[in-house]
Amino acid sequence: FIQNKKDIREKNLTCKVNIISGISQMGSHSVGYSFDGDQFVESSFRFLFFDAPHVIEVVPTLGPDSGGTPVTLVLSQKILEEEGVMCKFGVISIAPVKFESKRVTCLAPAQGAGIVSVSLSGSANAPTDLLKFFFYAREHIEAISPSTGEVGGGLLVSVVGSNFYESSRDNRGQPVASIVACKFADIVSMGGVVLSSSLVTCVTPPYRSTGVVELQVSNNGLDFSRNGISFRYTSPVEIWSARPSSGSAAGGAEIQLQGLNFEPDMRCSFGGNMIASQALSSTRSLCITPSQEPGLVALRVSNNGVELSTSEIDFAVFEPLALVTIVPSVGSILGGAPVTIVGENFMEGEFRCRFGNQDSPAGRLTSTQIGCKTPPGTISYVDVFVESVNSLRASNPLTYRYIAAPDLVNV
């Protein structure tokens, strides 16, 4: 095993070890020496031959340019701390901080953004097989939408910012799915999706209580953005009642809602048609119906425009009122004259007639006729509407003419 006797100085003998090949040669061997190449003197020392480990994987494959990422090199065989190996990121050597069987962990150095080779000093990796590590500029968060969500989690949120890593690559430089994580306070949500370098989406995890938490984003699931943005967890919203619970397909009716956990930005959903509301308190709100197709729709509420209440109210949508004619269409300014309004879609319920800005009680005669009496007026033409109990006017007005009252000449 020994060749090329070298420099005997005092009590020191220096020798060069032959290149060993083959697994059978690996292991511990006795050490002897000879001055003539024939007669060897065995010493009490032993020399260990071992196969140099290969680095087969780097985890993670990317980290911020500020450094500090714990990077684990997965090896082909077990290695000992006593072997004195070093991790190399490009030309920078870093001493390992942890040895664990076939794994060595080092903290990535600060490095400019870009790709560097990663190796282990003393390993058998050829230059063409060197694995890669990607240094990226640190993530920065600017906005989140929606910025509120229920404590049960499961809400998809969009995070706007910069330096989101679009296409992670494996150790051989091939594109793979990005590993993006969002952290809500101390809870990490994995599986985020990078849509662009300035936009990612993640799913909110369940949280233990309502209130504001800080959201941070990480390109590698380990190192999170230095800045964060506020996200507020809320209690689930509920709807208990709606008055009235029906309206015209033309829309425009004011609906009074009662429920629980109403937020200032609460919205109403009529069969998925989202409408802004006017929250009066945490239990009361007003919504204006949108135009929609006739039928029965589910009325639900949402505090963020995305998560809908699990509770709902059946809301009936009727064909809009359509007026055809008024008989008679002329009457005295004294009022009190009975008139019949002919039209369509006069559903069951209470109605009133409106002459200009004056209301008059009305009665439903049939599905096509409404009867009411004229209020007092002035000589003029006025618009006539029919309104149901939910204050929804007919889609079209009719015209009524007020004329002077006849003079009594004689009896």
Side-chain angles (χ1 to χ4, degrees), residues 100-172:
E100 185 179 5
S101 185
K102 296 181 181 181
R103 295 171 177 265
V104 174
T105 300
C106 299
L107 299 182
Q111 184 102 344
I115 304 172
V116 300
S117 298
V118 178
S119 61
L120 193 68
S121 63
S123 72
N125 289 73
T128 55
D129 293 328
L130 290 178
L131 306 184
K132 308 295 182 182
F133 190 84
F134 301 81
F135 286 96
Y136 57 81
R138 202 75 185 234
E139 314 90 336
H140 182 79
I141 301 176
E142 297 173 4
I144 181 175
S145 179
S147 59
T148 65
E150 296 182 0
V151 291
L155 173 67
L156 183 69
V157 297
S158 297
V159 182
V160 178
S162 57
N163 300 327
F164 300 140
Y165 200 78
E166 293 185 68
S167 55
S168 178
R169 296 176 180 272
D170 62 18
N171 295 324
R172 309 299 176 184

Side-chain angles (χ1 to χ4, degrees), residues 36-345:
D36 58 13
D38 292 323
Q39 301 294 321
F40 282 85
V41 177
E42 295 291 332
S43 73
S44 60
F45 303 106
R46 301 187 68 79
F47 190 83
L48 176 66
F49 289 97
F50 60 90
D51 187 19
H54 294 263
V55 181
I56 59 178
E57 187 179 5
V58 176
V59 182
T61 59
L62 67 164
D65 54 8
S66 55
T69 303
V71 180
T72 298
L73 278 61
V74 182
L75 309 178
S76 58
Q77 63 186 55
K78 183 177 180 180
I79 194 169
L80 301 176
E81 183 175 358
E82 300 81 60
E83 295 178 31
V85 297
M86 300 284 283
C87 298
K88 294 193 69 176
F89 292 80
V91 297
I92 301 177
S93 295
I94 300 291
V97 295
K98 184 179 180 181
F99 289 84
E100 185 179 5
S101 185
K102 296 181 181 181
R103 295 171 177 265
V104 174
T105 300
C106 299
L107 299 182
Q111 184 102 344
I115 304 172
V116 300
S117 298
V118 178
S119 61
L120 193 68
S121 63
S123 72
N125 289 73
T128 55
D129 293 328
L130 290 178
L131 306 184
K132 308 295 182 182
F133 190 84
F134 301 81
F135 286 96
Y136 57 81
R138 202 75 185 234
E139 314 90 336
H140 182 79
I141 301 176
E142 297 173 4
I144 181 175
S145 179
S147 59
T148 65
E150 296 182 0
V151 291
L155 173 67
L156 183 69
V157 297
S158 297
V159 182
V160 178
S162 57
N163 300 327
F164 300 140
Y165 200 78
E166 293 185 68
S167 55
S168 178
R169 296 176 180 272
D170 62 18
N171 295 324
R172 309 299 176 184
Q174 298 302 311
V176 296
S178 297
I179 302 173
V180 179
C182 294
K183 184 166 68 172
F184 294 78
D186 56 349
I187 302 177
V188 176
S189 173
M190 298 298 293
V193 177
V194 179
L195 301 181
S196 72
S197 61
S198 60
L199 179 63
V200 301
T201 60
C202 10
V203 177
T204 61
Y207 200 66
R208 51 188 171 269
S209 62
T210 61
V212 177
V213 300
E214 183 181 54
L215 166 67
Q216 296 171 286
V217 174
S218 170
N219 281 325
N220 63 5
L222 296 174
D223 304 285
F224 286 85
S225 54
R226 286 176 175 167
N227 80 309
I229 197 165
S230 294
F231 180 85
R232 186 163 61 90
Y233 277 99
T234 62
S235 297
V237 63
E238 299 179 25
I239 181 173
W240 296 341
S241 67
R243 294 183 180 178
S245 59
S246 62
S248 166
E254 182 179 273
I255 310 298
Q256 299 181 24
L257 305 180
Q258 284 192 313
L260 186 66
N261 301 322
F262 290 174
E263 294 280 332
D265 295 328
M266 192 192 81
R267 298 168 177 84
C268 302
S269 170
F270 291 85
N273 194 350
M274 201 74 69
I275 301 297
S277 74
Q278 179 185 353
L280 305 177
S281 69
S282 62
T283 59
R284 296 175 58 244
S285 183
L286 299 177
C287 280
I288 305 299
T289 60
S291 60
Q292 51 196 325
E293 292 296 319
L296 196 64
V297 300
L299 172 55
R300 303 167 74 182
V301 290
S302 172
N303 279 331
N304 57 16
V306 179
E307 296 172 303
L308 292 171
S309 58
T310 55
S311 54
E312 62 182 50
I313 301 292
D314 288 335
F315 190 85
V317 182
F318 297 97
E319 292 282 357
L321 304 180
L323 305 187
V324 177
T325 186
I326 180 171
V327 181
S329 60
V330 180
S332 167
I333 60 175
L334 298 178
V339 297
T340 299
I341 298 177
V342 180
E344 297 176 353
N345 307 318

Side-chain angles (χ1 to χ4, degrees), residues 310-385:
T310 55
S311 54
E312 62 182 50
I313 301 292
D314 288 335
F315 190 85
V317 182
F318 297 97
E319 292 282 357
L321 304 180
L323 305 187
V324 177
T325 186
I326 180 171
V327 181
S329 60
V330 180
S332 167
I333 60 175
L334 298 178
V339 297
T340 299
I341 298 177
V342 180
E344 297 176 353
N345 307 318
F346 296 144
M347 54 211 173
E348 296 286 347
E350 299 178 15
F351 293 87
R352 61 176 174 261
C353 298
R354 173 164 291 183
F355 291 78
N357 58 3
Q358 295 190 80
D359 291 341
S360 174
R364 178 181 179 273
L365 304 178
T366 68
S367 63
T368 60
Q369 292 185 344
I370 291 287
C372 54
K373 292 184 177 182
T374 62
T378 60
I379 299 174
S380 62
Y381 290 89
V382 297
D383 287 334
V384 179
F385 296 91

